[in-house]
């Protein structure tokens, strides 16, 4: 049955337009633009009003079967979209693409974007927004049949596109990146119904044909404008190609315009895998209650920029396994730690530094607004100063960072020459360009502003001619300019005044002179708007060649911010540089739990003193420690503390200890506390046995 017939056969043109679009998006919530609102109708309105707390009203109330309706202001839609996405819905944005002022009949509308948990980028977010696709296949080897997993990751905050293969489980790879949405074939749906429930992840099940190898391969070479995938090193790994192709297809279908520059491969041998249990029990990115406060991230995050915050979160999720890489980070942290002037100068410059990574992607997608472009220029203007401050230090690591930064003075000059000092948020608001930038703009502005003075002069003259002191000339978008006269003064209205509109307490009129002046003013305003929009698009296009350099600057700024943050934390809390080694010995002298120590300091835990303690494990005679004691004696704290110190060392951070020697570990496993997955048919004992089995099956001599 046609969805229109759910309500009634006699629909208005607007409703016919809506239901025609809704027919294609039956399972999504359609935000249908009507003037300054996104309206929702029918079942969408009933669902959305309950979730968003909106007042449910109705369209065509006088008819036998009115259509439920609710709406939100278009300029405040973000918070409502986020709420719906968090509840597992997808949101379809349907915009007016025709101009209501020039369109005869109903304004044309079309779907411009479909927002999903993995494709929606909230304003001001400092987190990576990952969309993952996964596909598994069986690989026949000399050792028998093994399952291989192909993974593709799209990061819409940075424009990175990562493709790799793994012999871990899909759940392990999900925990590595914590994507907002995971795409898998429909044939996998039964396998993931429990994972979806237990791990509270957003799985989207796609038709299996979208993972077809030939279709996927073609999508990749077309998107990246290449002949073959050999240059990216994934030519021979079919599951990864299939996952990547399905991911691109999903973005295309949802009208996401992200243009990825290249495929990055992930060498899993360079990064530690932290499974779900370890992340949860060690409270790395969030506390056990789901808050940032009380987590390791909370302690270490002294970053100033969105790029720095993202770098830190990624570092905590993927600790390093290569000694040289860890030492390089520690060298950088130590330089900022020892050079107070360098640390304070960089910290000051990075304060209020814009998210140039995200803004560069907005240039690529032609979605940047004038105020954001101005902010981008302000950020790029600071690059020469950052380089100058860095070069004051003699450290080779710091000089290398300086050399990675591009001074884009020509970009700054282009933007500052063009844009006004306080440009608008929207290109439709006018006032984008500064006076003197374009002669035609200046001329049209002159007509516009003179017109306003002419209106005021006309108002004054008409008051004198008619003797009506309360006469005023007003304007609205529907009726244009009008002369308004209150009803007690209607007997004084001249005969050449033409009635335009009747109000409860006044009448509105027009004259031939006013109509001519209106035509002149509005014509100039319309031309001005069209010209400014066109010139702004041209300005954006002129910046395309610089986007890669801006992205590289963003990457370097994020790394500098990370190093500076680690140095600030080390200085503030008395941390020391760990000694990194490739042997299997871990020795910690007077170690402290970083989070508990801080919670005590700020009064969130009972007033007591944290007693530093030691650990030495990994030698031939000391591979295992049996730790006993009464309840609340601190056994779990001791275990978590040392695991966190190891993890901190391997992300390149100083650690809360008097001395720490860390033999690089390949995995950190935890089995702490009691929990159950009753929905999955697992008791506390069963969960414990499964987690212990995971440790026994995957731990090596270098695991902690």
């Amino acid at each position: 049955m046609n969805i229109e017939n759910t309500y009634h056969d006699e629909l208005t043109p607007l409703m016919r337009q809506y239901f025609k679009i809704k027919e294609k998006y039956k399972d999504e919530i359609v935000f249908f633009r009507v003037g300054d609102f996104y309206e929702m109708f029918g079942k969408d309105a009933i669902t959305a009003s309950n979730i968003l707390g909106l007042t449910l009203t109705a369209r065509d109330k006088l008819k036998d079967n009115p259509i439920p309706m609710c709406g939100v202001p278009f300029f405040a839609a973000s918070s409502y979209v986020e709420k719906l996405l968090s509840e597992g819905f997808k949101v379809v944005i349907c915009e007016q693409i025709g101009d209501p002022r020039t369109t005869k009949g109903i304004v044309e509308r079309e779907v411009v974007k479909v927002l999903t948990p993995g494709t929606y980028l909230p304003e001001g977010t400092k987190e990576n927004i990952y969309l993952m696709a996964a596909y598994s296949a069986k690989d026949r080897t000399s050792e028998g049949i093994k399952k291989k997993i192909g993974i593709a990751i799209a990061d819409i905050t940075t424009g990175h596109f990562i493709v790799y293969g793994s012999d871990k489980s899909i759940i392990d790879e999900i925990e590595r990146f914590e994507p907002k949405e995971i795409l898998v074939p429909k044939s996998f749906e039964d396998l993931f119904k429990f994972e979806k429930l237990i791990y509270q992840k957003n799985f989207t099940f796609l038709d299996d044909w979208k993972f077809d190898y030939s279709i996927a391969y073609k999508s990749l070479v077309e998107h990246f404008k290449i002949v073959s995938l050999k240059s990216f090193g994934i030519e021979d790994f079919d599951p990864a190609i299939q996952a990547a192709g399905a991911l691109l297809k999903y973005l295309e279908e949802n009208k996401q315009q992200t243009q990825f520059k290249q495929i990055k491969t992930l060498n899993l041998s360079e990064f530690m895998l932290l499974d779900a249990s370890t992340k949860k029990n060690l409270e790395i990115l969030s506390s056990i209650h789901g808050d940032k406060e009380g987590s390791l991230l909370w302690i270490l995050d002294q970053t100033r920029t969105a790029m720095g915050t993202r770098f830190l979160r990624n570092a905590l999720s993927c600790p390093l396994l290569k000694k040289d890489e860890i030492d390089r980070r520690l060298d950088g942290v130590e330089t900022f730690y020892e050079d107070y002037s360098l640390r304070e100068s960089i910290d000051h410059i990075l304060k209020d530094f814009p998210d140039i990574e995200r803004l560069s992607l907005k240039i690529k997608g032609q979605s940047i607004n004038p105020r954001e472009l101005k902010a981008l220029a302000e950020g790029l203007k600071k690059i020469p100063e950052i380089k100058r401050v860095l070069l004051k230090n003699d450290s080779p690591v710091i000089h290398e960072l300086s050399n990675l930064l591009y001074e884009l003075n020509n970009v700054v000059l282009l933007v500052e020459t063009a844009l006004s000092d306080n440009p608008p948020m929207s290109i439709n608001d006018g006032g984008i360009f500064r006076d003197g930038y374009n002669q035609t703009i200046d001329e049209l502005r002159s007509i516009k502003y003179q017109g306003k003075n002419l209106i005021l002069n006309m108002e004054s003259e008409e008051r004198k001619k008619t003797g009506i002191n309360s006469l005023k000339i007003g304007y609205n978008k529907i009726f244009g300019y009008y002369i308004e006269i209150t009803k007690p003064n209607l007997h004084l209205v001249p005969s050449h005044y033409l009635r335009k509109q009747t109000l409860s307490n006044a009448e509105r009129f027009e004259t031939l002179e006013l109509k001519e002046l209106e035509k002149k003013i509005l014509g100039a305003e319309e031309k001005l708007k069209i010209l400014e929009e066109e010139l702004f698009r041209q300005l954006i296009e002129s910046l395309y060649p610089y986007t890669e350099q801006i992205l590289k600057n963003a990457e370097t700024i994020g790394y500098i911010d990370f190093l500076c943050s680690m140095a600030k934390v080390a200085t503030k809390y008395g941390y020391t540089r760990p000694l990194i080694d490739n042997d299997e010995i871990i020795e910690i002298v007077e170690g402290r739990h970083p989070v508990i120590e801080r919670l005590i300091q700020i009064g969130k835990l009972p007033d007591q003193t944290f007693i530093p303690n030691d650990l030495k494990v990994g030698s031939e005679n000391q591979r295992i420690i049996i730790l006993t004691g009464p309840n609340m004696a601190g056994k779990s704290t001791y275990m978590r503390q040392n695991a966190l110190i190891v993890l901190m060392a391997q992300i390149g951070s100083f650690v809360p200890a008097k001395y720490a020697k860390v033999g690089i570990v390949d995995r950190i496993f935890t089995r702490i506390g009691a929990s159950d997955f009753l929905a999955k048919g697992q008791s506390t004992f069963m969960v414990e046995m499964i987690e212990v089995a995971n440790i026994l099956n995957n731990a090596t001599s270098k695991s902690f």
Side-chain angles (χ1 to χ4, degrees), residues 31-40 71-82 93-95 120 123 369 425-426 428-429 477:
F31 273 35
F32 190 74
R33 182 70 175 269
V34 181
D36 291 336
F37 283 80
Y38 285 122
E39 302 285 6
M40 288 154 275
V72 299
F74 83 95
F75 52 82
S78 296
S79 59
Y80 297 106
V81 169
E82 288 182 48
I93 305 297
C94 182
E95 291 286 2
Y120 176 66
E123 288 295 327
N369 67 48
M425 287 284 289
S426 171
N428 298 316
D429 293 341
K477 291 182 179 180

Side-chain angles (χ1 to χ4, degrees), residues 576-682:
T576 57
R577 175 172 179 163
L579 174 65
I580 305 299
D581 206 327
N582 280 319
D583 65 19
E584 297 177 1
I585 296 176
I586 296 173
E587 183 178 1
I588 298 170
V589 178
E590 295 187 17
R592 294 118 52 202
H593 192 297
V595 179
I596 290 180
E597 179 182 56
R598 181 62 183 148
L599 289 172
I600 291 173
Q601 290 171 353
I602 64 174
K604 290 293 182 77
L605 287 178
D607 187 16
Q608 54 188 312
T609 302
F610 189 92
I611 301 174
N613 48 75
D614 302 340
L615 169 73
K616 187 170 184 180
V617 68
S619 64
E620 285 292 327
N621 300 322
Q622 185 68 69
R623 307 291 297 182
I624 296 174
I625 292 176
I626 298 176
L627 188 64
T628 63
N631 289 340
M632 303 298 291
K635 302 184 297 298
S636 296
T637 299
Y638 179 75
M639 289 189 286
R640 289 189 177 102
Q641 165 197 309
N642 290 297
L644 289 175
I645 288 174
V646 169
L647 187 146
M648 288 171 67
Q650 288 189 217
I651 71 166
S653 168
F654 283 23
V655 299
K658 183 177 181 180
Y659 168 84
K661 176 178 178 294
V662 176
I664 295 173
V665 306
D666 59 1
R667 292 284 296 268
I668 295 175
F669 294 98
T670 61
R671 162 85 290 279
I672 300 172
S675 62
D676 58 45
F677 287 164
L678 295 180
K680 200 172 181 179
Q682 296 177 0

